[in-house]
Structure formats: C-alpha cells, structure tokens
Amino acid sequence: MVKDEAKLRNKLRKISDALSKLFEIKRREKSDPLDILIATILSQNTNDLNSHKAFKNLKDKFPDFESLANADLREIERAIKVGGLARQKAKRIKNLLIELKKKHGGFDLSFLKDLSVEDGIKFLTSFKGVGLKTAGCVLLFGFDKEVFPVDTHIHRILNRVGIVKTKTPEETFFAVGKLIPDKLSYHLHTGLIKFGRAICKARDPLCGVCPIYKICEFEMKSFYKKKTKDVEVNKNSALEFILLDEV
C-alpha cells in the first residue's frame, strides 16, 4: 500500500469512529435482496420516508413478486405514487422482474452471494434503471459484501474532507472503493449519509458543530464555523431514517 493510501485509510477510520459516536449506527438483519433492489429503485429522486411509503404500499398491494410482475402498470403506478416518478419506476420494476425470471427462472437474487463484487455489479447494472449506487446497495445491504455505494451526500463529503477529488458520484465510487478499511463499508456508508443530511449539508454546512472539523480540508470551513458555532445538531427521525435498514 502506498503511503498516501495508508493516510487516507486512517482518515476514513477516524471519520467512521466520529460518526459512530454521533449517530446510532446498528446493522439490521438482512432482507430479501430483491426487495432491497426494488426499494432502492423507488428511492431514486426522492427522500427515504416517501420511498418507504411507496415500498410499503407496493408490498401491501402485491405481496409476492409473481403478482407484481403480472400486474397492470397503472396499478403499480398508483401504489407507488407517493414516491414520485411513478410511471418511470413502475415500468422499470415490472420489466426487471420479467427479465429476471426469463434469465434465472424465478424471482431470486441469492446466487449473487457467490459472485465477486465486480460480477455482482456487472449483473445488476445490466438491468435498465439500475446504476452503480443501486447495485452497490443491493450487495451491501442484501449480502453484507465489502462494497461502498456512493450517493450525492457521500460524494460531496468525501470531496470536502479531502479523501477524493472527483466530479461525479460514479467517479467517487471507483476512486474510494479500494480505500475503505475492511469491515467498515456499512458503518461508513450509513454514517456519511446521516452526516450529510444533518451537518455537512450542500448549502450552509454546520462546520461549527462538525465532529471531523480538524481533519477536514474544506476551504470554507472557517467561514461556516463562525456562522454556525452556536447551532445545535438536528438529529430527528427523518434525518436518521435509512430506507434500506427498514425494508
């Protein structure tokens, strides 16, 4: 391992330790990976609370994957309307299930546990509407594999603190994957999401109450520290709610 990589790994460990102290980060029991895939599709371009409502509505209306795959698109749209982009997501979910059954004879992703992370991502991203983040979430939350999904919060934070210098979440995914310390993917992923919602916001970050201020390389941190030094961290249930822990 090169010296710079060792430093970055150590920095990531410090970040993970700090966020674990600040937020409640407990690993839940793993759910059906196909449920996780569908829930992650529903989470695209909306918040976790609305996507969770959409997922619950979908499961109540269609309790098994066979009935969902055979359902009329308009019925699926009505069930998931609360999550936004209902027409687009309904079509993706239905087509995914139909294609999965054609390829593997059923609605089961358990075979992914025996594949490498790279092969698992390659398989999942072969479906329309499934990108790197969605595929990574299925492997992390469904199989506890050492993969580190990157959303907009994580992309923003890792650039601010100086772990990477990238322009997109996809670039961050490939740049940071080899740097994540062993067994820290889940805690660091969920911790950074909560951190991005509550403190390291896109606008007006709360640098005055940031637990990793000293190791952060954000060039505007002194300005925002003065501006937010007396602000209290808002850790309400909506900010801490992680959809894939509740599927």
Side-chain angles (χ1 to χ4, degrees):
M1 187 194 307
V2 299
K3 186 176 181 180
D4 284 347
E5 286 190 5
K7 286 183 177 179
L8 291 174
R9 280 176 176 257
N10 186 52
K11 191 171 185 176
L12 286 167
R13 288 191 187 93
K14 290 179 179 179
I15 292 171
S16 181
D17 289 344
L19 299 185
S20 293
K21 291 177 182 177
L22 183 63
F23 301 108
E24 179 185 3
I25 302 176
K26 293 182 179 180
R27 187 62 197 262
R28 270 67 171 187
E29 185 177 343
K30 294 190 291 292
S31 302
D32 187 319
L34 188 50
D35 274 336
I36 291 174
L37 176 54
I38 291 171
T40 309
I41 292 172
L42 290 172
S43 74
Q44 296 167 357
N45 299 108
T46 190
N47 63 55
D48 275 7
L49 290 177
N50 284 340
S51 51
H52 186 251
K53 292 175 184 176
F55 178 76
K56 292 291 290 181
N57 290 346
L58 194 68
K59 297 298 287 185
D60 289 343
K61 180 73 175 178
F62 309 104
D64 58 77
F65 297 121
E66 186 74 49
S67 62
L68 179 55
N70 293 328
D72 184 89
L73 273 174
R74 287 169 294 183
E75 292 185 49
I76 302 175
E77 288 174 25
R78 283 193 289 270
I80 64 175
K81 184 178 179 180
V82 67
L85 299 176
R87 182 174 298 180
Q88 176 181 305
K89 293 175 183 178
K91 187 175 181 179
R92 285 180 177 176
I93 291 169
K94 181 178 173 70
N95 288 346
L96 184 151
L97 290 174
I98 292 171
E99 191 175 347
L100 179 63
K101 188 173 183 179
K102 284 182 179 178
K103 287 182 176 180
H104 290 275
F107 307 106
D108 182 18
L109 292 177
S110 62
F111 64 91
L112 291 176
K113 70 178 182 294
D114 297 320
L115 299 184
S116 67
V117 167
E118 291 75 16
D119 287 342
I121 287 176
K122 183 178 180 181
F123 173 80
L124 290 167
T125 55
S126 69
F127 295 98
K128 188 174 181 179
V130 178
L132 282 174
K133 187 197 81 170
T134 297
C137 285
V138 173
L139 298 178
L140 175 63
F141 287 86
F143 298 98
D144 202 21
K145 286 183 177 285
E146 285 300 306
V147 58
F148 188 72
V150 175
D151 72 347
T152 54
H153 290 299
I154 293 173
H155 169 65
R156 177 178 70 252
I157 296 164
L158 293 185
N159 273 275
R160 276 182 177 171
V161 300
I163 299 295
V164 295
K165 291 182 179 180
T166 52
K167 294 181 179 180
T168 67
E170 289 76 17
E171 287 182 14
T172 301
F173 173 83
F174 289 113
V176 80
K178 62 182 180 181
L179 299 175
I180 304 300
D182 292 342
K183 307 301 180 183
L184 277 188
S185 294
Y186 172 82
H187 279 74
L188 195 54
H189 172 82
T190 55
L192 286 171
I193 289 176
K194 294 180 180 184
F195 180 57
R197 293 173 180 175
I199 297 176
C200 197
K201 304 174 183 181
R203 293 185 177 183
D204 295 325
L206 308 183
C207 298
V209 292
C210 178
I212 58 171
Y213 181 87
K214 290 183 179 180
I215 61 173
C216 179
E217 298 177 17
F218 181 38
E219 60 184 12
M220 295 289 290
K221 70 178 187 178
S222 296
F223 169 79
Y224 284 110
K225 181 179 181 179
K226 293 177 182 178
K227 189 177 180 180
T228 60
K229 63 180 181 179
D230 297 320
V231 176
E232 290 188 8
V233 179
N234 180 8
K235 295 194 294 180
N236 64 39
S237 58
L239 293 174
E240 292 222 34
F241 184 86
I242 300 293
L243 168 68
L244 299 183
D245 276 335
E246 305 297 333
V247 169

